[in-house]
Amino acid sequence: MRPHRLAALADGAALGEASMRDFRILTEQMTELADGGVLLNFGSAVVLPEVFLKAVAIARNQGASLEQLTTVNMDFTRLYRPQTNVVARPVAGVGKGYSLVGHHENMIMLLAAALVEQ
């Protein structure tokens, strides 16, 4: 079986290095979410919720309290992984998590309008 042309052109080492760099940036940014930070997850049902939970653990292990952290998951349906790894676990006992269900083209505009009014 011939490999797909795009797959044959992919540089696995470069992809891995870029992924690790992105994860380190996310983890570093997590420490900035202390004292009232907000994380928004728009439509990622698998990858971001898993990676986010790992980044939270690393930030806490490095001494970040993440007190008053607010997380928001926005998607078309309520799914287990984002509900657990974005809305519930990261903020348990220290912050608030929200799940907003609806079509992005409407919900993002409503969220923006609500934030402007505040």
Side-chain angles (χ1 to χ4, degrees), residues 15-99:
L15 289 171
E17 183 179 334
S19 293
M20 190 65 192
R21 183 175 42 248
D22 286 349
F23 181 71
R24 287 182 176 141
I25 291 168
L26 176 63
T27 303
E28 184 177 316
Q29 292 299 308
M30 289 303 303
T31 62
E32 308 270 331
L33 291 179
D35 300 323
V38 177
L39 176 108
L40 304 171
N41 178 40
F42 294 103
S44 179
V46 178
V47 175
L48 183 63
E50 290 295 333
V51 172
F52 172 63
L53 194 60
K54 304 306 183 250
V56 166
I58 289 171
R60 286 189 173 136
N61 287 340
Q62 293 177 345
S65 69
L66 301 181
E67 294 289 327
Q68 300 175 13
L69 175 64
T70 300
T71 61
V72 179
N73 182 66
M74 186 180 294
D75 211 340
F76 298 111
T77 60
R78 191 171 300 200
L79 300 169
Y80 171 79
R81 189 170 278 124
Q83 185 66 30
T84 302
N85 294 354
V86 174
V87 177
R89 284 183 184 162
V91 296
V94 297
K96 294 183 179 182
Y98 298 94
S99 182

